[in-house]
Amino acid sequence: MPATAALTFAKALLAHILRPGDIAVDATAGNGHDAVFLARRVAPDGLVHCCDIQPAALDSTRARLAAAGLSDLARLHAAGHERLADILPAAARGRVRAVVFNLGYLPGGDETVTTRPETTLAALEAARAVLCPGGAIAVVCYTGHPGGPAEARAVAGWCAGLPFAAWRAARYELVNKPGDAIIAFFVEKLPAKPEAG
Ligand SMILES: C[S@@+](CC[C@H](N)C(=O)[O-])C[C@H]1O[C@@H](n2cnc3c(N)ncnc32)[C@H](O)[C@@H]1O
């Protein structure tokens, strides 16, 4: 599947933020393309936690990471991203530099198994809680499947509700694209302010 403009845009922003040694999360592992991207950015000594609810997706991600020689930089979790707080080891909490949500269904898989607004929102809250200052959450929403438009609206609402004092949330969308919209939301946690004096 060729990367969409929205996904390419989100990854370009993440590439500016991620550093070797960072901890990242791929909240929807799928076929492992995003996991490989994240692992390359945090190499040689960082770590990417990947979750998916479908064994086929985790198998695909495992194989893609292995083919890229990046298996040691990833941990695969057979669990929904709404359980992120339980999935991550305690040492990772507050240290995660980036979380990627590439929503929808597994390309080449069962198109009726999709991310859903309730679990996506729960996972976004969990992701927000584990980010380090200066970290970011990228969410790519696809409106071309049943449930996709409602999920995109839910994500947009969640982003809009983040307090401006500590967060910046933006959206990217090709406005002349025919057909169903694909929207990238990019949420940054502001860096900690230096101590006064
Ligand atoms: C568009 S695909 C992800 C593409 C992937 N990031 C890649 O690079 O190939 C969406 C994935 O989300 C997964 N998914 C659906 N609900 C989920 C949940 N609650 N937690 C984690 N993954 C979920 C699906 O199984 C599917 O593999």
Side-chain angles (χ1 to χ4, degrees), residues 83-193:
R83 292 185 44 218
L84 194 60
D86 305 324
I87 291 166
L88 292 182
R93 299 195 192 125
R95 290 193 51 222
V96 174
R97 184 84 61 190
V99 185
V100 178
F101 292 81
N102 194 350
L103 300 176
Y105 57 82
L106 177 66
D110 183 346
E111 296 189 7
T112 66
V113 180
T114 67
T115 52
R116 293 182 293 115
E118 320 81 72
T119 41
T120 297
L121 290 180
L124 285 168
E125 276 299 313
R128 169 187 172 175
V130 298
L131 270 195
C132 65
I137 304 171
V139 192
V140 180
C141 300
Y142 301 85
T143 65
H145 64 92
E151 187 172 45
R153 283 195 298 277
V155 172
W158 181 83
C159 290
L162 291 168
F164 192 72
W167 299 86
R168 295 292 183 270
R171 65 184 283 162
Y172 173 90
E173 178 184 355
L174 293 183
V175 294
N176 63 340
K177 175 186 173 300
D180 303 306
I182 303 174
I183 308 160
F185 293 93
F186 199 81
V187 173
E188 291 179 83
K189 180 174 181 171
L190 296 182
K193 285 197 182 130

Side-chain angles (χ1 to χ4, degrees), residues 1-18:
M1 183 182 73
T4 64
L7 184 58
T8 302
F9 179 78
K11 284 180 170 172
L13 295 180
L14 289 171
H16 279 288
I17 287 176
L18 284 163

